[in-house]
Amino acid sequence: MGAVTAESDSSEEISADEVRAALRDYFADGSGLDEVRRNRDHPHAVTGGVDRAGWRRLAQQVGLTSMTAPVSWGGLGLGVPYAVAAVEECGAALYPGPVRAATLLARMLGGIEPDDVAPPVRAGLEDALAGTAIVGASDPGDGSAVPEFRVGGVTGRIGACTHGDVAEVIVTPVQTADGPAIAAVAVSAGGSVERSAVPTIDLATPLADVTVVDVPAIVLVAPGNMVGLQRFRNAQMLLLAAEQVGLAQGCLKQMVEYASVREQFGVRIGTYQAISHRCARTAVSIAAARALVAAAAEEIDRGNDTAATQFTLLARAESADAQAAASDALIQVSGGIGFTWEHDAHLYFRRARATGALGGIPARLRDAAVRAGCLDLLLSEARS
């Protein structure tokens, strides 16, 4: 199995395709789905639904958490295309670990020097990058209240946090005296913490409300930094879009494999037009979503904030539609067995429905993209 590690000297030695290949090899034995099945069949077997040893191996052997972390934090400082490639492959395997949250945290540490961070918080961040701590993320897109950041730490409720029942570091919006900001809350570094599980149809990623009082934290995006806040939002949305593209790809893989071996009336069902056309439509929608994700990642890396926002909104909308259609198609192509509890199809379906509307339904995201000026992308292409 290949690995992406801090031993490499520059990003020129590593390609995004190599990241994909390393993770594809890692999950070739179906270990991602195995963990989700265990969460389904034995919900209390592993606290928080995360195999910590497995997450540590993924973080350290493949270098998942260090890829996009700054060099000053022991990372490689690779760009967003590498992050989306990694998250997409984990999504295809339906891996239930804190991939998106950890990748988001690693990227947001850019510009923050370790020596400028208080020791208890720095220790939590270093553990998160090493894979020895679980990272959670909260996305209160419904406009609900966020915790307050003040002298002494963060106080308030962090709502619907991914892996919130076990997370030691949480990336969350906060409210400060000077306005909204983004913070990394070191839940294990002190203060008072109470956790309450949030019911969800998703069997892959548990959610929990985390109520904190005077818990140490560091500001990742300062209040008043509207550009930084939008960049954070773009990165958060794009990583979700990449995961959704991966989920759709995982569905397509299972569809094609099943259609290639299942026979009816002595003929493999993949030869029927209804099946082959559905697989083809799914493949086309995935390709469109992946292209938009790639374009958004490139614009973020280039610092083209306007185009990055436009592409990110379009990518999120397209990826949500792609994963919804793919998870539907997997059930249909699988026939009667696809509706059973024992089959993997409903695991993908649940994940798709649980994440499909985060940050807005596709129609609203496309409307936001138009209001952000995405039609200018067509006009610029026409002029060139």
Side-chain angles (χ1 to χ4, degrees), residues 19-302:
V19 172
R20 293 181 189 278
L23 285 163
R24 198 168 296 143
D25 288 345
Y26 185 90
F27 291 119
D29 60 354
S31 56
L33 272 169
D34 286 344
E35 286 195 41
V36 183
R37 294 188 195 107
R38 184 180 58 218
N39 293 342
R40 175 194 65 191
D41 300 331
H42 308 286
H44 303 296
V46 179
T47 303
V50 181
D51 181 347
R52 285 180 175 271
W55 170 242
R56 186 167 60 252
R57 285 194 301 272
L58 184 59
Q60 295 176 355
Q61 293 182 13
V62 185
L64 183 64
T65 52
S66 64
M67 281 190 306
T68 56
V71 175
S72 60
W73 286 89
L76 296 179
L78 300 180
V80 180
Y82 296 86
V84 298
V87 173
E88 181 184 328
E89 287 301 324
C90 291
L94 208 65
Y95 176 64
V99 179
R100 266 193 296 123
T103 305
L104 181 64
L105 172 65
R107 172 161 180 79
M108 297 311 298
L109 288 175
I112 299 175
E113 294 299 322
D115 292 340
D116 296 334
V117 182
V121 178
R122 183 171 68 243
L125 296 176
E126 289 172 344
D127 287 345
L129 294 177
T132 55
I134 302 299
V135 185
S138 177
D139 181 19
D142 58 358
S144 58
V146 297
E148 294 183 358
F149 186 100
R150 56 195 183 192
V151 177
V154 172
T155 296
R157 184 178 70 88
I158 304 173
C161 175
T162 58
H163 300 97
D165 47 355
V166 294
E168 288 107 340
V169 177
I170 299 175
V171 180
T172 180
V174 293
Q175 186 64 38
T176 74
D178 298 317
I182 305 298
V185 184
V187 179
S188 59
S192 172
V193 181
E194 292 184 4
R195 308 173 192 257
S196 176
V198 174
T200 174
I201 62 170
D202 185 11
L203 298 179
T205 304
L207 302 176
D209 291 336
V210 183
T211 302
V212 297
V213 178
D214 293 334
V215 171
I218 180 175
V219 172
L220 300 174
V221 180
N225 183 358
M226 302 311 295
V227 172
L229 290 171
Q230 185 58 52
R231 287 177 176 174
F232 169 82
R233 185 61 178 160
N234 285 346
Q236 187 178 43
M237 282 197 297
L238 189 61
L239 290 175
L240 176 57
E243 181 183 275
Q244 292 173 328
V245 169
L247 184 143
Q249 185 66 48
C251 291
L252 178 62
K253 179 176 181 290
Q254 291 212 12
M255 290 162 57
V256 172
E257 288 177 350
Y258 186 75
S260 299
V261 298
R262 178 73 169 93
E263 293 186 359
Q264 285 185 344
F265 309 109
V267 178
R268 291 180 182 176
I269 64 172
T271 62
Y272 295 134
Q273 285 189 347
I275 300 296
S276 59
H277 285 183
R278 189 143 198 180
C279 290
R281 287 196 299 271
T282 301
V284 169
S285 67
I286 292 171
R290 182 180 287 122
L292 285 169
V293 168
E298 291 292 342
E299 296 299 340
I300 290 177
D301 259 11
R302 292 171 183 159

Side-chain angles (χ1 to χ4, degrees), residues 285-327:
S285 67
I286 292 171
R290 182 180 287 122
L292 285 169
V293 168
E298 291 292 342
E299 296 299 340
I300 290 177
D301 259 11
R302 292 171 183 159
N304 297 335
D305 294 323
T306 299
T309 298
Q310 294 165 351
F311 276 118
T312 297
L313 289 166
L314 292 173
R316 249 303 274 120
E318 196 70 22
S319 64
D321 280 344
Q323 72 162 2
S327 61

